[in-house]
Amino acid sequence: MQIRNIISLADITMEWWESLYAQCCEIIEHPADYTDACKGKVLATMFFEPSTRTSFSFQAAVQRLGGGTIGFSDPLGTSASKGETLADTTKVISQYSDTIVIRSPLEGSATAAAMYSDVPVINAGDGGHFHPTQTLADLATIAQKRGKIENLRIGLCGDLKYGRTVHSIVEAMSIFPGISFHLISPQELRMPDYILSQMRSRNQDFIESEDFVQTIPELDILYMTRIQRERFHSSAEYRRLRGIFILTNELLKQAKPDMLIMHPLPRYGEIDPQVDSDPRAAYFDQVRNGMFIRMALLLNLMHSPRQAPPPLLGNNEIKCENPACVSQTETYLLQLDSETSTKFCRYCDREL
Ligand code: CP
């Protein structure tokens, strides 16, 4: 199975994952065999929002494959600041590159970019929507630590409303058997309804809880997340919720001896640094594996043939009302025709 764009993980198959992970393991074992694998290829990074891990890991990944990077980490230095559309910026940058990586605060921006790109597009995080390559790093870490990804009780804890990494994890986990989720958050930061609907339609097993301490002993994996300050409309609300769940060595005494402690990072107080020396802490392994799995992904995508996308079909009769949706600012973007689907925004997945 060949996937051209990595926008979400909704369509991945077990075969696709196993092949990607096998490639990742091969790279880890024999890095010298890959130093020219993407020689002459150019990765473009379009970062409209700050990043350390995703940005640096993609740059490191392509350099380790013998390729190079172009890109920006501050859109103020580009013609986007003069009002150039995302469509034009993407089309132009796709003329210089072989794959584009995009991060944006706007939900659905990677979907929109892929509609105008002549080369594959990778979603490096679109607002509070999805972050698929972080999930690939997470899956690689679970597979590495546990041998198999199956029969796991996973606690997702913290900001499940705005935390894009947890949205991608539940999507990807639907291909693995025996996975159940404890969704641990305060009411205000519950998993959004559109993600819960998707989980129900895929028959994924989950329960929602506000009780962090009582849930810990049940878990095989505890996946902590940061409260996403940058997505709050009220700083008072953020301050009220910040620090609501903090993982300490004391709490970990209740956990299973082989429970994995995961976090996409950056953290902001939700894991005490003293936990770092616990052998169950896997978050810096996630960082390292993130680079290797992105190498495997780039090996897959960067040799794809250049191909102009089909013309954008649809209409503008129904507007998405999600203020964080890319279609709110890139107003030329069309929704699907009613015969195809009118129920959900094609960019941010919210009900229309
Ligand atoms: N995990 C993650 O996406 O980190 P960055 O925001 O630093 O890229």
Side-chain angles (χ1 to χ4, degrees):
M1 177 193 184
Q2 185 63 34
I3 298 180
R4 181 169 173 86
N5 302 302
I6 305 294
I7 307 298
S8 78
L9 298 174
D11 299 324
I12 62 166
T13 60
M14 185 64 91
E15 182 200 7
W16 181 85
W17 161 250
E18 284 179 345
S19 158
L20 187 76
Y21 182 59
Q23 182 84 79
C24 173
C25 294
E26 186 62 29
I27 292 169
I28 292 171
E29 259 182 58
H30 305 289
D33 291 354
Y34 292 88
T35 51
D36 286 336
C38 286
K39 193 173 178 190
K41 298 290 179 187
V42 174
L43 180 72
T45 57
M46 294 169 49
F47 276 65
F48 294 88
E49 200 180 51
S51 166
T52 298
R53 276 144 293 274
T54 316
S55 167
F56 281 81
S57 65
F58 267 115
Q59 291 180 56
V62 75
Q63 285 184 39
R64 284 168 183 259
L65 294 169
T69 52
I70 56 172
F72 59 86
S73 55
D74 180 357
L76 285 177
T78 75
S79 288
S81 66
K82 302 174 204 162
E84 187 164 56
T85 61
L86 178 65
D88 281 358
T89 301
T90 305
K91 185 79 183 173
V92 166
I93 289 178
S94 76
Q95 306 312 307
Y96 307 138
S97 60
D98 299 290
T99 294
I100 290 176
V101 179
I102 177 172
R103 169 172 287 193
S104 163
L106 296 173
E107 300 184 12
S109 48
T111 300
M115 289 169 169
Y116 293 92
S117 175
D118 292 356
V119 299
V121 170
I122 300 173
N123 182 3
D126 58 331
H129 191 212
F130 289 129
H131 191 352
T133 65
Q134 176 62 50
T135 292
L136 296 178
D138 302 340
L139 294 180
T141 305
I142 297 168
Q144 185 184 64
K145 300 271 177 197
R146 304 204 63 124
K148 277 188 172 172
I149 306 177
E150 62 180 27
N151 301 329
L152 296 170
R153 205 176 276 253
I154 302 175
L156 303 177
C157 177
D159 184 349
L160 308 187
K161 178 178 181 183
Y162 297 119
R164 55 195 173 197
T165 61
V166 290
H167 303 166
S168 285
I169 287 170
V170 295
E171 196 167 58
M173 280 292 176
S174 67
I175 65 169
F176 299 99
I179 306 294
S180 62
F181 288 102
H182 286 259
L183 308 178
I184 311 157
S185 73
Q187 273 296 319
E188 297 86 339
L189 298 177
R190 280 180 65 225
M191 195 66 99
D193 286 338
Y194 77 97
I195 299 285
L196 294 177
S197 298
Q198 290 172 358
M199 291 179 83
R200 286 190 194 98
S201 69
R202 294 188 295 250
N203 288 321
Q204 288 183 280
D205 188 19
F206 69 89
I207 53 171
E208 294 185 274
S209 164
E210 293 184 60
D211 198 333
F212 178 48
V213 176
Q214 292 296 321
T215 309
I216 288 178
E218 311 263 325
L219 302 174
D220 300 303
I221 295 176
L222 172 59
Y223 194 100
M224 298 294 292
T225 62
R226 177 178 64 94
I227 309 291
Q228 306 272 305
R229 180 182 53 189
E230 63 276 29
R231 313 226 186 275
F232 276 68
H233 304 297
S234 149
S235 52
E237 176 80 340
Y238 167 71
R239 282 197 303 275
R240 194 172 66 76
L241 293 168
R242 198 186 107 188
I244 192 156
F245 301 131
I246 298 176
L247 185 65
T248 60
N249 279 337
E250 190 57 32
L251 280 179
L252 279 168
K253 287 179 186 162
Q254 311 299 322
K256 290 183 183 175
D258 61 348
M259 183 190 78
L260 284 186
I261 307 162
M262 302 183 73
H263 193 308
L265 303 180
R267 62 179 155 181
Y268 194 63
E270 58 279 352
I271 298 183
D272 184 331
Q274 292 201 340
V275 171
D276 297 0
S277 51
D278 188 304
R280 294 169 288 186
Y283 29 92
F284 293 112
D285 299 297
Q286 287 168 261
V287 174
R288 181 104 177 129
N289 288 329
M291 177 179 71
F292 291 121
I293 201 81
R294 288 178 175 113
M295 287 175 76
L297 193 61
L298 292 178
L299 257 180
N300 260 275
L301 298 184
M302 292 195 90
H303 298 284
S304 304
R306 175 170 290 279
Q307 183 182 305
L312 184 55
L313 298 177
N315 65 61
N316 245 336
E317 282 158 24
I318 305 173
K319 285 282 186 193
C320 177
E321 289 180 3
N322 171 12
C325 179
V326 67
S327 65
Q328 292 268 343
T329 43
E330 306 287 327
T331 51
Y332 53 89
L333 293 171
L334 305 178
Q335 293 296 345
L336 285 169
D337 281 323
S338 50
E339 300 88 66
T340 325
S341 162
T342 49
K343 214 164 161 12
F344 299 100
C345 173
R346 77 195 297 185
Y347 304 99
C348 72
D349 293 314
R350 296 306 196 289
E351 202 156 350
L352 289 171

